[in-house]
Amino acid sequence: MGNDTAVTPEPLTDEQRDEAVEQIRTDGIVGFKGAFSRAWVQQLGEDIDVAFQEALTRPGGAVGRGPQRYYVEIHPQQLRGFAELAGHPWITAVAEAVLGSEYEIVEVGFDVPLPGAQYQPWHRDFPMPEETKTEQRLTSLAINVTTVDTTDEMGPFEIAPGTQWEHGDGFEHEMFPPKSEYDRYRELAVRKYPQMGDISIRSALTIHRGTENRSQLSRPVLVLGLDAPGAGNAERHDLAITSAYRDTLPAVVLDHLHCPVVDELTPITQKHTIEGLVMGEAEG
């Protein structure tokens, strides 16, 4: 399946785009309902399941982010709908407004909280860049796409709005706030219940955590990572595409995909060692 499974949405108006950007600056996250059809999301879920099962078979294929919770990074062409995702007009409009017209696609991956996944510690995904500290300029965005209809029993994503501007000088590894701050984050926190087809666009600096999955279902979530030029997050990732796949991509995607072009893809070995170690210290 390809284009026939994707919603063809109306582009955002200038006002809608500006409202989304303002919400990212204020809350650190904005959601869009019905960005994709349920059929497109079902296909995404199938591709994620194949990639997850493969990653579990090899060392470094999946990194633990707490009990019964995994992260896997993949190459774009492992998703049949990658072009529709990366070229979605709502995503490209917000990315250009926040990161500039030369933004780069640096990460494609997914989180899988399995049944029994525990609370993660509150965290951000990487240390705050100097540009954000001194200029309040965001240099990266994370797009999340759920593959299931999220319920409270599934351990929904929890985020503390506005915390993307906290410098984090006292954070462990500049990413993990001290437990003395947990009550404050719990008071701020908002749980998100996206349904199939919904997306969110957020600053990965906004303090957040996964919660306890009390259901019998996994809750896979796709992650698409975008950088402003020079932000440097590409160094943490190993995206690649083949030349044959490159030739299938539209310019709206290819212009932002600066990864190596290879003859044959090599499965990605995860580099997120700090998260893997510290995520084991989760509590409610």
Side-chain angles (χ1 to χ4, degrees):
M1 285 188 278
N3 289 322
D4 58 323
T5 64
V7 171
T8 305
E10 290 293 322
L12 298 179
T13 65
D14 290 350
E15 182 179 8
Q16 288 171 323
R17 180 202 60 210
D18 293 347
E19 286 176 357
V21 171
E22 181 60 26
Q23 194 168 344
I24 291 172
R25 290 198 60 81
T26 302
D27 294 342
I29 187 169
V30 64
F32 289 100
K33 303 290 291 182
F36 294 102
S37 70
R38 294 181 71 87
W40 186 92
V41 175
Q42 185 175 10
Q43 171 187 277
L44 176 68
E46 292 168 359
D47 291 346
I48 284 177
D49 186 57
V50 169
F52 184 44
Q53 296 307 319
E54 186 279 327
L56 290 173
T57 66
R58 54 187 172 81
V63 64
R65 285 190 164 173
Q68 295 295 99
R69 190 184 299 271
Y70 294 92
Y71 173 78
V72 176
E73 188 171 348
I74 58 176
H75 296 299
Q77 65 204 75
Q78 290 177 257
L79 301 177
R80 286 168 285 176
F82 174 75
E84 290 95 349
L85 172 70
H88 193 288
W90 299 351
I91 293 173
T92 59
V94 173
E96 287 187 9
V98 176
L99 305 176
S101 60
E102 301 298 313
Y103 72 86
E104 300 173 16
I105 299 165
V106 297
E107 175 186 15
V108 185
F110 53 87
D111 282 300
V112 183
L114 296 170
Q118 303 298 301
Y119 282 95
Q120 292 178 311
W122 293 102
H123 65 283
R124 56 177 39 139
D125 289 342
F126 42 77
M128 177 176 281
E130 194 61 32
E131 300 93 328
T132 309
K133 282 184 181 178
T134 58
E135 305 169 29
Q136 284 215 327
R137 178 163 61 88
L138 296 175
T139 61
S140 66
L141 290 172
I143 288 85
N144 288 150
V145 188
T146 179
T147 68
V148 296
D149 293 329
T150 309
T151 67
D152 197 60
E153 291 73 28
M154 285 181 180
F157 180 80
E158 199 166 47
I159 191 164
T163 53
Q164 70 274 24
W165 306 120
E166 295 185 8
H167 282 196
D169 294 332
F171 291 4
E172 186 177 0
H173 305 295
E174 300 180 71
M175 295 162 54
F176 295 88
K179 292 181 179 178
S180 59
E181 294 292 310
Y182 278 21
D183 283 345
R184 181 168 67 89
Y185 293 131
R186 275 193 285 259
E187 289 175 8
L188 287 171
V190 177
R191 288 194 172 190
K192 299 296 184 179
Y193 300 96
Q195 304 298 291
M196 291 173 64
D198 300 345
I199 64 171
S200 67
I201 304 176
R202 64 183 172 92
S203 166
L205 299 175
T206 314
I207 305 300
H208 62 278
R209 66 177 179 175
T211 62
E212 184 182 24
N213 187 349
R214 309 185 310 277
S215 77
Q216 297 304 307
L217 302 170
S218 63
R219 186 182 61 80
V221 178
L222 184 82
V223 182
L224 180 71
L226 309 178
D227 262 9
N233 288 307
E235 298 166 9
R236 298 183 172 95
H237 308 289
D238 289 308
L239 288 192
I241 56 174
T242 63
S243 55
Y245 182 69
R246 177 191 58 189
D247 294 342
T248 70
L249 292 174
V252 69
V253 175
L254 194 57
D255 288 350
H256 301 283
L257 199 55
H258 299 172
C259 64
V261 179
V262 298
D263 292 330
E264 186 174 349
L265 293 176
T266 301
I268 295 174
T269 299
Q270 309 304 321
K271 296 180 178 179
H272 292 70
T273 53
I274 291 174
E275 288 100 322
L277 290 172
V278 180
M279 286 300 183
E281 301 175 3
E283 64 177 44

